[in-house]
């Protein structure tokens, strides 16, 4: 967790922990790869934002803890912990926010 706290994304970048569904059920049954998965993640860190032509800061509209819908491809894979998958996206690459 300390490595995550050290990484602060630049500009309008967003660090996302990808939500990976388990490959086995609670009873130990292997789940097929063809089961429909939602490509989503949890926002771990956000950058301060981008500057416009006048130099004014445009803040990132996402915040830590948001659940977001990710594109199928893209993002930069970041190795911060061996058992978790982290991706770095630009704010405008993220497709939307998932609400409960």
């Amino acid at each position: 967790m300390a490595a995550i706290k050290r990484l602060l994304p630049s500009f309008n970048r967003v660090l996302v922990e990808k939500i990976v569904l388990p490959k086995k059920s609670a009873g130990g049954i292997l789940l097929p790869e063809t089961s429909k998965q939602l490509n989503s993640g949890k926002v771990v860190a956000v950058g301060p934002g981008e500057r416009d032509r006048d130099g004014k800061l445009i803040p990132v509209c996402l915040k830590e803890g948001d659940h977001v819908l990710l594109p199928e491809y893209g993002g930069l894979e970041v190795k911060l912990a061996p058992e978790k998958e982290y991706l770095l996206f630009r704010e405008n690459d993220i497709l939307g926010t998932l609400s409960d």
Side-chain angles (χ1 to χ4, degrees):
M1 201 56 144
I4 297 169
K5 299 237 184 248
R6 288 193 318 235
L7 178 65
L8 179 64
S10 300
F11 303 112
N12 65 342
R13 306 290 197 297
V14 179
L15 181 65
V16 176
E17 177 184 344
K18 189 169 181 182
I19 297 173
V20 180
L21 296 177
K23 296 188 186 321
K24 284 187 179 180
S25 68
I29 298 171
L30 291 173
L31 300 172
E33 291 290 326
T34 58
S35 62
K36 191 68 176 165
Q37 295 185 23
L38 188 61
N39 201 17
S40 64
K42 179 181 171 190
V43 175
V44 177
V46 295
E50 225 176 359
R51 299 214 176 258
D52 64 4
R53 291 179 186 232
D54 298 329
K56 295 179 185 173
L57 185 68
I58 303 169
V60 177
C61 65
L62 299 169
K63 61 186 180 307
E64 292 180 20
D66 282 349
H67 286 88
V68 293
L69 182 63
L70 303 172
E72 187 174 348
Y73 301 105
L76 176 69
E77 188 174 340
V78 180
K79 292 285 185 187
L80 297 175
E83 67 278 353
K84 296 191 179 185
E85 189 175 339
Y86 294 97
L87 299 165
L88 197 59
F89 285 95
R90 291 181 190 269
E91 178 189 20
N92 48 350
D93 289 340
I94 293 177
L95 301 175
T97 305
L98 300 169
S99 60
D100 294 331

